[in-house]
Amino acid sequence: MLTQRIALVIQYLGTHFHGWQRQPNQRTVQEEIETVLGGVLNQPTRVIAAGRTDTGVHAAAQVAHFEASSPIPPERWAGVLNSRLPNDILVLASAAVDSQWHARFSAVSRRYRYILYTDKQPNLFVRPFSWHYYYAPLDESLIQEALNPLVGHHHLAAFHRAGSQRQHSWVEVQEAKCDRHGPFVQIEVQANGFLYGMMRLLVGLLVEVGTSERDPSSFKDLWVNERRSEVKYAAPAQGLCLLRVAYPESPFPPEIWWDTMPEFALSPSFMKLPYSLH
């Protein structure tokens, strides 16, 4: 039987996962999917992802591929997997790809979104997907000012956590933006690839800029001169989501992978009350 390479677009809630990559005695997304595939195909099957998300990090449109010799049509694999996977993993779509196509090496960009919730009033429904940062006001314009010089080809060793197998810290940042939607501050960065821990270290430092503890020029000076010792705090994992992965010719239509993470929107409740409290 002909062996096919199958690509998947995958969503997962990272809350109860120890990241994407299979690890001994830990629950991981890769192991859950490989276990299901192994049961369907009656043999061990490796799944290769576009990127390895850390413990607690979510994915709105992760991309992965695997090899299969099976009569199951490529577009049916999403349904087959979803009927067997746990509720915190969802395969949005599946498709056949060329044998040279690779989820990781064929990708031209990855985009991450980090969400900060700045209202002093806690909210259970946004807690799993945001960092509740209410200790000081955040100025999104200062964060954007700090982000602007990051766009380009840079050596970002200041945002590279120890323990990575990557031999260098060069990154081509394609876009970096910060905006506010009511109490939600969103930071999005798109790059050809990301260093181990890069986004969480980046956000941890950008919060200092947003609260005026550090000015944007000091932020730039820190990463230009690779002062890794000054980057001491990583933002919490639950606020981070792998938003999407792009390819020169995607095997999936845009509606499957382009922007599948809903944005939060809240306005002050007193402005919405339909009747008087008096």
Side-chain angles (χ1 to χ4, degrees):
M1 187 176 297
L2 180 67
T3 298
Q4 286 186 301
R5 179 163 291 191
I6 307 297
L8 306 172
V9 179
I10 308 163
Q11 292 184 327
Y12 47 88
L13 305 178
T15 309
H16 301 297
F17 287 107
H18 203 76
W20 165 270
Q21 188 177 11
R22 179 187 284 268
Q23 299 176 52
N25 305 314
Q26 300 288 353
R27 184 176 186 243
T28 67
V29 181
Q30 183 181 26
E31 182 174 13
E32 292 280 6
I33 297 174
E34 288 180 348
T35 298
V36 170
L37 278 172
V40 174
L41 295 169
N42 294 314
Q43 64 180 24
T45 304
R46 187 182 180 206
V47 181
I48 300 172
R52 301 171 179 175
T53 52
D54 293 339
T55 299
V57 175
H58 313 292
Q62 171 74 280
V63 179
H65 76 262
F66 66 95
E67 306 280 347
S69 297
S70 169
I72 298 173
E75 68 277 5
R76 291 282 306 279
W77 273 105
V80 170
L81 292 170
N82 287 333
S83 66
R84 295 164 172 82
L85 285 168
N87 290 334
D88 45 5
I89 304 177
L90 177 69
V91 180
L92 292 177
S94 55
V97 290
D98 185 86
S99 62
Q100 301 303 309
W101 188 93
H102 196 283
R104 178 183 174 190
F105 298 123
S106 298
V108 293
S109 71
R110 287 90 171 156
R111 190 178 187 95
Y112 279 90
R113 173 185 293 162
Y114 196 96
I115 301 174
L116 298 109
Y117 173 56
T118 64
D119 198 307
K120 290 184 179 180
Q121 179 66 36
N123 189 316
L124 181 65
F125 293 96
V126 304
R127 183 186 295 171
F129 306 102
S130 63
W131 179 10
H132 189 195
Y133 192 92
Y134 58 92
Y135 318 106
L138 282 177
D139 186 335
E140 65 275 14
S141 65
L142 289 175
I143 295 176
Q144 183 63 63
E145 185 180 343
L147 283 170
N148 289 337
L150 270 177
V151 176
H153 190 61
H154 303 296
H155 198 252
L156 298 180
F159 305 119
H160 199 168
R161 277 176 55 189
S164 172
Q165 297 179 352
R166 185 166 172 167
Q167 301 300 310
H168 64 84
S169 299
W170 289 100
V171 176
E172 181 72 36
V173 178
Q174 300 161 348
E175 186 179 358
K177 70 172 188 173
C178 177
D179 51 29
R180 177 183 287 275
H181 303 278
F184 298 99
V185 174
Q186 291 187 170
I187 298 170
E188 291 189 16
V189 178
Q190 180 173 303
N192 63 338
F194 283 77
L195 307 172
Y196 179 45
M198 173 178 157
M199 270 299 291
R200 291 173 60 196
L201 290 171
L202 183 65
V203 173
L205 200 66
L206 285 169
V207 162
E208 294 182 16
V209 176
T211 58
S212 297
E213 293 177 50
R214 180 186 297 273
D215 62 58
S217 61
S218 169
F219 173 85
K220 179 181 178 181
D221 182 70
L222 184 149
W223 62 259
V224 167
N225 291 290
E226 302 178 16
R227 299 204 302 272
R228 176 67 181 86
S229 61
E230 294 184 33
V231 185
K232 299 178 179 179
Y233 187 74
Q238 75 272 9
L240 184 59
C241 181
L242 173 59
L243 200 60
R244 58 179 176 261
V245 185
Y247 297 87
E249 294 183 9
S250 176
F252 303 100
E255 59 268 23
I256 298 295
W257 62 275
W258 182 255
D259 236 343
T260 62
M261 181 187 187
E263 294 191 10
F264 289 104
L266 287 174
S267 57
S269 57
F270 63 83
M271 295 177 63
K272 299 183 290 184
L273 291 175
Y275 53 85
S276 173
L277 293 177
H278 303 292

